[in-house]
Amino acid sequence: MTQSVQKSDLSVRVVFGAATRKSIAAEVQRLGGTRALVLATPQQSNEALAIAEQLGALAVGVFCKAEMHTPVHVTEAAMVHVAETKADCLIAIGGGSTTGLGKAIAYRNDLPQVVIPTTYAGSECTSILGQTEDGLKTTLRDARVLPEVIIYDSELVITLPVSMTVTSALNAMAHAAEALYAPDRTEKTTALAMEGLRAFVEGLPKVVASPNDLAAREATQRGAWACGTVLDQVGMALHHKLCHTLGGSFGLPHAETHAVVLPHAIAYNARAAAKELQPICELLGGENAGTALYTFAKQMNAPMALRDLGLKEADLDRAADLATTKPYPNPQPVTRDDIRALLQAAWAGDTPIE
Ligand code: NAD
C-alpha cells in the first residue's frame, strides 16, 4: 500500500507491505534515476548485493561501509564512489546508520534517495542529519537530506533479531513520547505520536512472540513511520539530549541507550507534564508514564541498566555535567543534581524516580 505525505513543500512517497522491495526499479525510474548506487553496512552487504542484482543495469555499484553516527571520512569515501560510478540516485538498505550515509551524500550533492529501512529508528522520515568528525557529533537540518521514497518491506525487518527489535522499537517510541510535551506540538503531531505509540504497544508483543509475523511487523513499521515523522515535526528535549551525550561522549550503543533512558526521562518530565503524558498512562495502564514505560520495557525483555551497556559508574558525574552545560527547552527544569540522580537510577536499572 502506498501513501504520499506532504510536508510543507516537500513530498515523501511511502510504500508499505511484504515484498514491496520488488518495486525499487519502478521507484528509481519514477525519480528519473538511471544509475543507482546501493548503500549498506558491511553486515548487510548481502542485502545490498541482492538489490543491485535485482536492478540489473539500473545499478552502478554498491558501497557497504556505512557506520553508526555517520563518520565524515566514510561519507567522503562514498563521495569518491559516487563520482567514479556517476551515480544519479541512492538506495539505502538498513537501519539509521545506512540511512544516515545516504542523507550525508544527498546533503552534499542533492541526489534523490530511496530508503528501505530494516529497523524502526525512523531516520528515513526526517530532514535531520547527524555527522561525526574528530569525535564530535553535530546535527543539522536541511531539505536536501529528506529521502524522496521510503519502502517499508516487512519481509526485510523479520531478520532483525528480537533484542534489536525491542530496543529499536523503544528508540522509535522515544520520539513520540517526547513529541507529546514539545513546545511546538499541535493536535496533529500529538495524534501522530499516539498513532506511533499505539502501533508499538499493540504490535511489539506480537512481534516478540512471533518475529516472522509479517502483519505485526508491518504494523510496527507503520509505527516507526509515525514516530519518525513526528520527530521531524517537533523539537525533542531531555531524553534525546541524554542519549546524544551518552552515545557521543561515552560510545554507548544508540537504540539500547534509548531503551534504557526512556522511562527515566519520561518520569522526570512527568513531574511537569503529567497531563500531556496522560495518554501514555491510558495506553499502558498505570499512574506515571515513565513507570508505565519501565514496566512495558521490562515485559519486552529490554536492557534496563546503563551499566549493562558498558557505562562505568565513575562516568556518571561527567555525563551529568555534559548533559547540563547548555540550557535547552524542557518541561521540568534541568538541574545538574536531578540529572545526576536520574543517571544513577538508569545506570543501576532501578525503577524511575517519580
Ligand atoms: P544501525 O543502522 O546502526 O543498525 C545496527 C546494526 O544492525 C547494523 O549492523 C545493521 O546492519 C544491522 N541491521 C539493521 N537492520 C537489520 C535487519 N533487519 N536484520 C539484521 N541486521 C540488521 O542501527 P539504528 O538504531 O537503526 O540506527 C542508529 C543510527 O541512526 C544512529 O547513528 C542514530 O544517530 C541515527 N538516527 C538518526 C535519526 C535522524 O533523524 N537523523 C533518527 C534515528 C536514528
Side-chain angles (χ1 to χ4, degrees):
M1 189 209 149
T2 304
Q3 67 189 71
S4 281
V5 183
Q6 299 291 332
K7 185 185 166 285
S8 59
D9 58 338
L10 305 171
S11 174
V12 182
R13 227 176 109 73
V14 186
V15 181
F16 288 101
T20 42
R21 65 186 175 286
K22 292 189 180 143
S23 69
I24 299 171
E27 297 298 343
V28 167
Q29 283 161 336
R30 195 192 301 269
L31 290 170
T34 55
R35 304 177 64 81
L37 177 64
V38 187
L39 309 170
T41 60
Q43 294 82 1
Q44 288 180 288
S45 54
N46 283 342
E47 284 86 337
L49 289 168
I51 286 175
E53 197 182 319
Q54 175 192 325
L55 289 180
L58 264 184
V60 290
V62 295
F63 182 87
C64 299
K65 294 182 183 167
E67 273 181 37
M68 185 83 88
H69 303 311
T70 327
V72 168
H73 71 90
V74 174
T75 305
E76 283 167 355
M79 291 301 290
V80 171
H81 209 71
V82 169
E84 281 172 1
T85 56
K86 298 189 176 64
D88 62 7
C89 166
L90 304 167
I91 299 174
I93 173 155
S97 297
T98 304
T99 306
L101 175 61
K103 290 163 89 171
I105 297 171
Y107 176 62
R108 287 160 174 79
N109 59 17
D110 209 11
L111 285 190
Q113 308 165 66
V114 176
V115 180
I116 306 156
T118 61
T119 70
Y120 302 119
S123 175
E124 64 279 1
C125 309
T126 81
S127 46
I128 305 163
L129 169 64
Q131 307 185 91
T132 311
E133 193 166 25
D134 300 327
L136 197 75
K137 186 166 178 180
T138 51
T139 302
L140 60 85
R141 203 179 257 278
D142 191 290
R144 279 171 293 185
V145 156
L146 188 72
E148 280 72 8
V149 180
I150 312 172
I151 300 176
Y152 289 103
D153 185 336
S154 47
E155 289 179 359
L156 295 176
V157 82
I158 57 174
T159 53
L160 192 66
V162 169
S163 59
M164 282 173 67
T165 294
V166 169
T167 53
S168 192
L170 288 161
N171 178 192
M173 291 171 75
H175 310 326
E178 286 223 292
L180 294 180
Y181 50 58
D184 49 352
R185 69 187 180 280
T186 62
E187 269 179 36
K188 253 176 131 172
T189 59
T190 296
L192 192 57
M194 287 313 301
E195 182 186 322
L197 287 167
R198 198 170 296 112
F200 281 112
V201 169
E202 289 170 5
L204 190 60
K206 292 183 194 162
V207 170
V208 169
S210 181
N212 294 343
D213 179 340
L214 286 176
R217 285 285 187 183
E218 182 177 330
T220 47
Q221 286 180 303
R222 287 176 183 274
W225 171 81
C227 294
T229 301
V230 87
L231 168 68
D232 199 43
Q233 294 181 352
V234 295
M236 297 287 113
L238 176 68
H239 170 78
H240 283 74
K241 174 76 186 170
L242 287 174
C243 293
H244 191 95
T245 303
L246 292 167
S249 300
F250 300 93
L252 295 201
H254 178 82
E256 291 89 335
T257 305
H258 273 269
V260 173
V261 172
L262 180 63
H264 298 274
I266 296 302
Y268 187 93
N269 278 337
R271 295 176 209 166
K275 193 168 132 256
E276 290 80 357
L277 290 166
Q278 180 59 24
I280 294 187
C281 298
E282 283 159 22
L283 195 59
L284 288 171
E287 309 234 306
N288 180 288
T291 310
L293 284 164
Y294 182 86
T295 305
F296 178 69
K298 209 166 191 174
Q299 285 165 349
M300 295 299 106
N301 263 329
M304 302 304 289
L306 291 176
R307 69 170 155 202
D308 295 339
L309 306 184
L311 188 70
K312 297 191 187 72
E313 192 168 17
D315 284 332
L316 294 178
D317 279 327
R318 195 161 69 90
D321 290 342
L322 288 171
T324 53
T325 39
K326 276 196 201 146
Y328 54 90
N330 191 63
Q332 173 73 4
V334 173
T335 70
R336 199 258 176 213
D337 286 353
D338 285 349
I339 296 305
R340 178 66 179 77
L342 180 164
L343 286 171
Q344 185 71 41
W347 180 81
D350 293 341
T351 49
I353 303 166
E354 292 186 2

